[in-house]
Amino acid sequence: MNQQEAIEVYMAKQGKAVQSYLITLVDGTGSMGNEYEPAIKAHQDVFSDLGNKKMDYQWEQDLYSFLPFRCAGSGNISKTFNVIFQKLLNEAYPKNITFLFVSDGREHFDMDEISAKIEEMKTKYLIQFICVAVGDAFPGQISNQLRDKIHNQNESCPAVFKVERKCQSSDVLYKEFSKIFTEVKGLLNVQEKHFEVNQPVYQTLVQEQPTKNVAPNEPFFRRVDEKAEPIVIEDEVVKPTDKPSDIAKLITNSVEKELILTASDPQHNYKEGFSKISDLGQKILDQAKFDNDLNEDIKKIASSQILLATNIADGNLELKKNEKEMTDLQKDIRNFDKVIEFVEKNAQEIEQKDITGEKAKKRMQKQLNSTIFGCFVRSKTTKKELDLIESIWAITIEGLNNYKKVIENDPQSNLNKLLVEFKELLDKQLQKIFEQQQVTELLDKHIQILKELNDTLKDIHQLIQKKDKVKANEVLQFIKLRAKPISENNINQTGAIFDQTDEFSFLPKSIQTILRDDEDELEKIVIIIFDDNDSMINESQSAKSNYLKIFSRLPQNQRIAICWKNGQFSFLENNGQSFDTLFKLLETQQAAYDLKNKCIHLCLVSDGKTEYNQLHKAIKEVKQKQYLIKLIYITVGSYLKNYLEDVILSKFRNREVKGKPLIKVIPRSITNKFETQEQSLKKSTTVPKLDEQFIKVYDDILDLILKEKNPAIKQNQF
């Protein structure tokens, strides 16, 4: 699959839920002596209510009932499954079955002995295959071969659970098994059948061949071109999803599938698989709509999995593929802290002799991508996770040092190209980071880091702009000065190589809004957007007429009024020309208003009931184009107000900080549930009262914008 192609992620609809038939196979060999009894007791207590909806066996050379414990000298896994498969193929059982395989060590197994029956089984049953590993000698390769070949129900079912072997008491072991079995019991609620899709799709990022069958309530994706037809399942059109939980689920399923393939086959090229996850996973994660704290854990787990994939793909992390390592990694793949710990413990820095400009760039890009989604780096000295700003600086330092190695290895390298690539990468990633990650508290150390980051970008800019060809020793001197950790001890010992003009001017405008003490010195401009769609029909005229009345106190060159209707933007007082994006409209005014050098108070008047997400994306695009924007929402009614307050509360945690949007409310009458929309609109706030509300809100906003600046404006004394 071409990784440069556009891809769309989908979520299959929910199907009919049924209970899977449980088949438990517990290792009855002598090495299980300490764990066998607690395991059986826990199993009976958790699953006893299943009655005849389960089948229980103790396995060794043959199959036996759970009790008594056989304490056999050896076992035969191939024979165990041959017998079970034959029974299932000869007799009638529910279509959905779950194998729960419990073992502590390797016994006889030959896939060739059961492969033919596996294919027969998959035509008759939808199968889940779950393992419980006891101790560190669990037969991971065998169990993963079985999982890979027989599991065909869904991709999101965990492959392995683990009980540690630490000479624990029977009570402790009972609790561990009970916890695992309770979780497995929840996994028995499965979807009755798979759906057929109208075109080929992929259920994981590492799937080689597409399929037209997908599991209900599971994510999948497809390659997209201009001629792509809609996805249809059971005569219903399915739209692409940007839900974080859906996209994160696809990433987790893909990582787990690649681990299964890696553990099951010593010859498997796992770097190729993880390279797909690294590239495509980041691409789809960028599409996810993370808009509140409820998604923080989802975001961090997905980004930690991509970080793992990236380090493996780049050769910084070798999978040893021993039974213990692979079992532990599979068990912990949904645990953010465990995944990060594994990466930090096993990842190596790029070897100096192997470093290239492309490798240095790719590594830095992947690290910053992880930071965008809340996956921060750890201190190399304390091993503790750094915060957002500290992580950015740690990644920048490592990136500078890697570029230093590139130059030292090849003094004739294209220095200007390296500098341009570094700055463009850092500019782009910082912009993304400060859009996704809200900065709600800045300590002195953070401000110092951001000053240093600004000076670093400024110095690179100056080196790029030099009339004379930049020399290697100049770049190395610059890196030597900049690539240093910032501590309390050197908090005031920084300074740019070149003359300092503005300590934050090279940082994204979104962070400048919070950082700058001098923003009151910037010239202000008010840009107001009126939602002119049908749901605003009773308030729109009052909103516009009272704006003209109140904001006429501002000079014409300090205000722009815009209408938004049916996805199009136009000027309030000259609506002959329309634009499909807000950014395109504002670009036409750049020369006249010098918008990128002003503090823009962007006011939105809307009830949020007509394609608000589209309007939100249009404003977000403008913010990403390096405009310095302060948002003011004038919400008509409570619908948009409630949504915004939820989002702002989650991001700012009720703190009053610079950059926090302002919300003003225009009350709207409550609709009777038996009224039509037309009747409701007719009963809206009376015009005089509505005028009063808008006048008050506009007065408050104008006073807020101009307070302590120019009293003459308030008094209309120009």
Side-chain angles (χ1 to χ4, degrees):
M1 184 169 56
N2 181 358
Q3 294 178 11
Q4 297 303 314
E5 288 183 283
I7 59 177
E8 290 177 340
V9 179
Y10 296 82
M11 193 70 174
K13 65 180 183 178
Q14 190 85 14
K16 179 183 177 181
V18 296
Q19 186 170 336
S20 184
Y21 185 86
L22 178 65
I23 302 173
T24 305
L25 302 168
V26 182
D27 187 339
T29 60
S31 58
M32 283 284 292
N34 191 50
E35 292 85 10
Y36 190 85
E37 185 179 332
I40 298 305
K41 184 176 186 301
H43 187 279
Q44 291 172 335
D45 288 348
V46 172
F47 295 115
S48 60
D49 61 334
L50 295 184
N52 62 0
K53 296 178 182 178
K54 64 180 176 65
M55 185 190 303
D56 310 326
Y57 286 109
Q58 172 183 190
W59 64 270
E60 31 115 327
Q61 290 294 334
D62 290 296
L63 294 181
Y64 300 90
S65 61
F66 269 175
L67 296 173
F69 175 44
R70 300 286 301 175
C71 195
S74 63
N76 190 320
I77 297 174
S78 302
K79 186 175 181 181
T80 295
F81 282 98
N82 244 327
V83 173
I84 290 292
F85 290 164
Q86 195 62 58
K87 183 177 179 64
L88 291 167
L89 291 170
N90 291 343
E91 302 174 23
Y93 287 91
K95 183 176 178 59
N96 281 276
I97 60 177
T98 296
F99 285 104
L100 180 58
F101 181 68
V102 183
S103 180
D104 73 332
R106 184 178 292 271
E107 302 293 343
H108 172 77
F109 177 78
D110 186 344
M111 179 60 76
D112 291 339
E113 295 177 14
I114 59 172
S115 56
K117 283 193 174 66
I118 285 178
E119 294 308 311
E120 288 185 69
M121 285 286 295
K122 288 164 73 173
T123 62
K124 184 176 180 180
Y125 295 103
L126 285 176
I127 305 163
Q128 290 189 132
F129 191 85
I130 304 170
C131 296
V132 178
V134 179
D136 294 335
F138 175 72
Q141 184 177 347
I142 295 172
S143 66
N144 279 289
Q145 285 177 351
L146 286 165
R147 167 76 179 215
D148 180 42
K149 297 300 182 185
I150 196 171
H151 182 99
N152 66 346
Q153 217 307 330
N154 58 71
E155 294 292 347
S156 60
C157 174
V160 63
F161 296 88
K162 186 177 181 181
V163 173
E164 297 291 347
R165 180 167 268 169
K166 310 174 190 173
C167 298
Q168 301 171 102
S169 68
S170 293
D171 287 344
V172 172
L173 287 168
Y174 170 80
K175 289 177 182 177
E176 283 197 43
F177 279 112
S178 295
K179 182 180 178 183
I180 290 171
F181 291 154
T182 300
E183 193 165 344
V184 170
K185 190 174 184 179
L187 297 171
L188 298 180
N189 295 315
V190 298
Q191 301 292 300
E192 181 182 36
K193 64 176 184 176
H194 285 179
F195 294 132
E196 186 172 341
V197 190
N198 65 322
Q199 54 191 276
V201 297
Y202 299 86
Q203 295 183 98
T204 71
L205 302 176
V206 297
Q207 186 175 336
E208 292 292 340
Q209 298 299 322
T211 180
K212 285 192 173 182
N213 288 296
V214 297
N217 201 32
E218 290 282 321
F220 60 92
F221 76 96
R222 67 161 175 174
R223 294 174 286 179
V224 181
D225 57 37
E226 294 179 0
K227 299 178 181 179
E229 297 180 359
I231 290 285
V232 178
I233 295 178
E234 292 192 334
D235 299 325
E236 292 182 25
V237 173
V238 183
K239 292 184 178 180
T241 178
D242 60 3
K243 285 182 62 176
S245 56
D246 297 344
I247 289 173
K249 192 175 186 180
L250 178 57
I251 293 169
T252 298
N253 290 354
S254 303
V255 173
E256 187 153 46
K257 182 63 176 179
E258 186 59 28
L259 288 174
I260 289 167
L261 295 172
T262 302
S264 65
D265 180 7
Q267 304 305 315
H268 177 67
N269 184 358
Y270 64 85
K271 287 186 180 180
E272 183 180 324
F274 281 110
S275 179
K276 290 180 182 178
I277 296 172
S278 174
D279 293 336
L280 295 178
Q282 190 62 59
K283 183 180 288 188
I284 63 173
L285 197 59
D286 287 342
Q287 298 173 11
K289 184 183 177 184
F290 293 99
D291 56 8
N292 59 57
D293 268 3
L294 298 177
N295 294 318
E296 279 302 307
D297 287 342
I298 294 173
K299 183 193 302 183
K300 291 178 73 172
I301 291 170
S303 59
S304 71
Q305 292 167 349
I306 291 176
L307 181 66
L308 170 71
T310 300
N311 275 278
I312 295 172
D314 290 349
N316 305 324
L317 196 160
E318 293 286 339
L319 290 179
K320 301 181 184 69
K321 294 198 283 188
N322 61 52
E323 307 277 37
K324 180 182 185 309
E325 179 185 86
M326 295 306 296
T327 300
D328 287 345
L329 189 53
Q330 286 181 274
K331 170 180 70 76
D332 295 328
I333 200 59
R334 292 170 174 80
N335 185 315
F336 169 78
D337 290 326
K338 293 288 187 180
V339 173
I340 293 298
E341 181 182 331
F342 181 84
V343 173
E344 293 290 340
K345 181 179 177 181
N346 295 283
Q348 303 295 319
E349 293 193 16
I350 305 174
E351 290 290 336
Q352 183 163 346
K353 59 182 174 61
D354 296 330
I355 190 73
T356 64
E358 188 59 31
K359 280 187 178 181
K361 176 185 174 183
K362 189 175 180 181
R363 180 174 174 83
M364 186 173 173
Q365 182 175 26
K366 297 294 185 181
Q367 288 177 312
L368 289 169
N369 275 337
S370 296
T371 304
I372 291 171
F373 296 104
C375 184
F376 304 145
V377 301
R378 292 176 186 262
S379 166
K380 291 182 179 179
T381 53
T382 67
K383 303 301 180 185
K384 292 181 179 179
E385 185 179 82
L386 302 176
D387 61 30
L388 172 65
I389 307 296
E390 291 170 329
S391 291
I392 292 170
W393 186 243
I395 294 167
T396 303
I397 289 174
E398 183 182 324
L400 286 170
N401 283 324
N402 283 335
Y403 274 86
K404 177 186 174 186
K405 294 173 188 175
V406 173
I407 297 168
E408 289 174 339
N409 287 348
D410 180 13
Q412 303 305 313
S413 55
N414 188 331
L415 299 175
N416 195 269
K417 179 175 179 288
L418 290 176
L419 289 168
V420 169
E421 283 182 352
F422 185 92
K423 185 174 184 300
E424 286 181 350
L425 171 62
L426 197 50
D427 282 339
K428 182 180 179 180
Q429 297 298 90
L430 287 176
Q431 188 173 317
K432 285 184 178 180
I433 288 170
F434 291 122
E435 276 296 321
Q436 293 279 355
Q437 292 288 332
Q438 288 291 335
V439 179
T440 58
E441 184 176 22
L442 286 172
L443 305 176
D444 287 344
K445 65 177 179 179
H446 298 140
I447 295 171
Q448 185 57 37
I449 289 171
L450 291 167
K451 286 180 181 178
E452 190 72 19
L453 189 60
N454 181 80
D455 288 348
T456 299
L457 289 166
K458 181 166 57 178
D459 288 350
I460 297 174
H461 175 75
Q462 294 280 17
L463 287 167
I464 293 169
Q465 297 298 317
K466 276 191 67 176
K467 292 181 180 178
D468 300 330
K469 185 178 179 181
V470 66
K471 298 175 183 177
N473 66 325
E474 291 180 291
V475 180
L476 293 175
Q477 179 190 359
F478 150 72
I479 293 175
K480 182 179 179 181
L481 175 69
R482 290 288 165 220
K484 295 178 181 177
I486 291 179
S487 66
E488 302 279 333
N489 296 329
N490 66 354
I491 198 164
N492 294 312
Q493 297 175 12
T494 60
I497 294 175
F498 303 95
D499 292 338
Q500 186 169 335
T501 55
D502 189 318
E503 58 188 0
F504 300 123
S505 62
F506 282 81
L507 298 180
K509 292 288 176 67
S510 52
I511 191 67
Q512 284 188 43
T513 305
I514 299 172
L515 280 168
R516 294 179 63 149
D517 292 325
D518 63 338
E519 68 180 37
D520 286 340
E521 302 304 321
L522 291 175
E523 189 175 348
K524 293 177 173 59
I525 185 167
V526 175
I527 297 179
I528 191 165
I529 301 173
F530 297 102
D531 182 342
D532 231 1
N533 288 289
D534 291 346
S535 63
M536 286 283 293
I537 190 170
N538 280 329
E539 294 87 7
S540 182
Q541 186 55 44
S542 177
K544 289 184 279 191
S545 62
N546 285 295
Y547 156 78
L548 293 170
K549 182 188 301 181
I550 301 301
F551 280 87
S552 63
R553 291 152 54 190
L554 276 180
Q556 185 66 47
N557 65 354
Q558 292 182 16
R559 53 187 169 92
I560 299 174
I562 299 167
C563 293
W564 178 69
K565 185 173 184 178
N566 298 329
Q568 297 289 307
F569 296 88
S570 59
F571 295 103
L572 172 63
E573 297 177 89
N574 179 18
N575 58 9
Q577 185 178 8
S578 61
F579 303 83
D580 58 357
T581 73
L582 178 60
F583 172 66
K584 289 179 183 177
L585 181 149
L586 294 181
E587 281 289 277
T588 66
Q589 304 302 300
Q590 175 58 28
Y593 289 90
D594 192 23
L595 293 174
K596 288 193 175 180
N597 290 313
K598 292 184 179 177
C599 179
I600 299 173
H601 289 271
L602 185 62
C603 302
L604 172 61
V605 184
S606 175
D607 63 355
K609 292 194 172 182
T610 307
E611 299 292 341
Y612 173 75
N613 283 339
Q614 183 182 342
L615 186 54
H616 172 77
K617 287 178 181 177
I619 295 172
K620 187 173 181 179
E621 180 190 16
V622 172
K623 293 178 71 177
Q624 291 173 340
K625 299 295 183 180
Q626 295 297 290
Y627 289 88
L628 184 61
I629 286 177
K630 289 191 164 186
L631 278 170
I632 301 174
Y633 295 97
I634 303 174
T635 70
V636 177
S638 60
Y639 180 82
L640 181 58
K641 166 185 170 288
N642 293 339
Y643 169 76
L644 291 172
E645 285 182 344
D646 286 345
V647 172
I648 290 171
L649 179 64
S650 69
K651 286 184 176 180
F652 291 91
R653 297 176 179 85
N654 262 343
R655 297 181 183 180
E656 293 300 325
V657 296
K658 293 177 71 176
K660 182 176 179 179
L662 176 67
I663 299 177
K664 294 286 186 178
V665 183
I666 303 294
R668 177 182 269 176
S669 62
I670 300 173
T671 306
N672 185 302
K673 65 180 179 180
F674 299 109
E675 290 178 341
T676 65
Q677 182 178 12
E678 183 179 356
Q679 290 171 327
S680 171
L681 289 173
K682 286 180 179 178
K683 203 186 90 173
S684 187
T685 310
T686 59
V687 174
K689 186 176 179 182
L690 192 60
D691 287 341
E692 291 172 11
Q693 293 286 347
F694 274 113
I695 289 170
K696 182 179 186 306
V697 167
Y698 288 153
D699 270 332
D700 289 346
I701 291 172
L702 193 57
D703 286 348
L704 181 69
I705 293 172
L706 302 176
K707 69 178 180 179
E708 299 177 2
K709 284 303 302 165
N710 191 347
I713 292 181
K714 289 187 187 180
Q715 298 164 18
N716 203 18
Q717 298 172 3
F718 291 104

